Amino acid sequence: MKTLKRYGGWALITGASSGIGREFAKAAAAEGVSCVLAARRRDRLEQLAETLQAAHGVEVRPVEVDLARPEGVERLCAATEGVFVGMLVNNAGVGYAGPFATRDAQRMDDLIALNCRVPVALTRAYLPAMLEQGRGAVIMVSSVLGFLPAPYDSVYSASKAFDLYFGESLWGELRGTGVDVVTVCPGPTRTEFFATEGRTEEDSLAITRNAADPASIARIALKALGKKPV
């Protein structure tokens, strides 16, 4: 049976403090892979790190970082200096729902930075070492809205289309190199996402009532590595 350890090194998971990112970290640690956990909420990262270390005996390095800020990617790369990242999970992302004409310009710019520019920058930073070793994995977390224009979520859906095509293109480009790429496109999932993008508690509960379990999303993505692009 193939395990994630075939990729070597550590797994770097962005947006690891909750939701799908947290489940990716749990799945990697369960297979004996040491993890770098990146997110803004240090208390949650440290709690998760302690849990994974105790349960699986792996090394876990929490990195508190706001990747939407211009210095975020540089800070994360500095925190992983000397570490071979064999699996990169580009999971960090944010939504911002509502009428486009009334949305705050800075928040939209932050969304584009986190959802689009950061995955490109991180993949560019860690991919050369994977290619040099002839093994590695890159996971892109897109969305079902990457396939669909979404009124009142226009910038988010456009950003997820970017992630979808970026991940699919890399899959084709890297075939035969030993570096596997997969893009996962979840529909509604039971996470904090809908509350943080500005929806009411009532709307968030209604959307997530029959939503997917985030652990199932991580399992689908990891199972697809090396098999298909999406």
Side-chain angles (χ1 to χ4, degrees):
M1 177 181 175
K2 290 184 177 180
T3 70
L4 298 179
K5 294 192 77 171
R6 70 188 185 274
Y7 295 118
W10 292 52
L12 168 56
I13 300 113
T14 65
S17 61
S18 65
I20 297 171
R22 180 183 177 88
E23 297 303 327
F24 272 118
K26 289 164 65 176
E31 293 198 22
V33 178
S34 294
C35 298
V36 178
L37 310 178
R40 292 179 300 172
R41 294 176 289 193
R42 186 168 188 85
D43 56 339
R44 291 196 181 191
L45 290 177
E46 290 178 342
Q47 183 180 33
L48 179 58
E50 291 174 6
T51 299
L52 298 181
Q53 288 168 335
H56 305 294
V58 295
E59 292 185 71
V60 182
R61 183 179 299 183
V63 180
E64 179 187 4
V65 61
D66 185 350
L67 289 170
R69 302 276 66 81
E71 70 280 3
V73 168
E74 184 178 348
R75 284 191 57 198
L76 181 53
C77 290
T80 59
E81 189 173 356
V83 169
F84 172 59
V85 173
M87 184 169 75
L88 171 63
V89 182
N90 286 309
N91 168 74
V94 67
Y96 186 31
F100 175 79
T102 64
R103 297 303 85 191
D104 179 76
Q106 183 59 58
R107 284 191 63 177
M108 288 194 291
D109 191 62
D110 288 346
L111 184 155
I112 294 167
L114 188 59
N115 294 8
C116 301
R117 291 198 289 266
V118 167
V120 170
L122 290 178
T123 304
R124 179 61 184 84
Y126 295 106
L127 180 59
M130 296 181 192
L131 291 172
E132 185 177 340
Q133 293 214 10
R135 58 178 178 169
V138 178
I139 296 174
M140 292 292 302
V141 178
S142 178
S143 166
V144 69
L145 290 188
F147 296 97
L148 303 168
Y152 302 101
D153 235 338
S154 55
V155 180
Y156 177 76
S157 66
S159 74
K160 289 304 175 178
F162 179 97
D163 291 339
L164 172 63
Y165 282 101
F166 177 54
E168 284 196 282
S169 298
L170 284 180
W171 178 85
E173 184 176 329
L174 297 174
R175 292 180 72 182
T177 65
V179 179
D180 295 329
V181 182
V182 71
T183 304
V184 61
C185 300
T189 308
R190 290 196 299 273
T191 68
E192 301 171 345
F193 174 84
F194 297 103
T196 58
E197 78 163 350
R199 297 182 186 269
T200 65
E201 183 178 356
E202 182 181 4
D203 283 347
S204 298
L205 289 173
I207 292 169
T208 58
R209 186 170 292 119
N210 298 308
D213 175 10
S216 71
I217 304 301
R219 285 195 301 270
I220 288 168
L222 295 172
K223 186 177 180 180
L225 275 171
K227 298 177 182 177
K228 53 186 179 179
V230 176

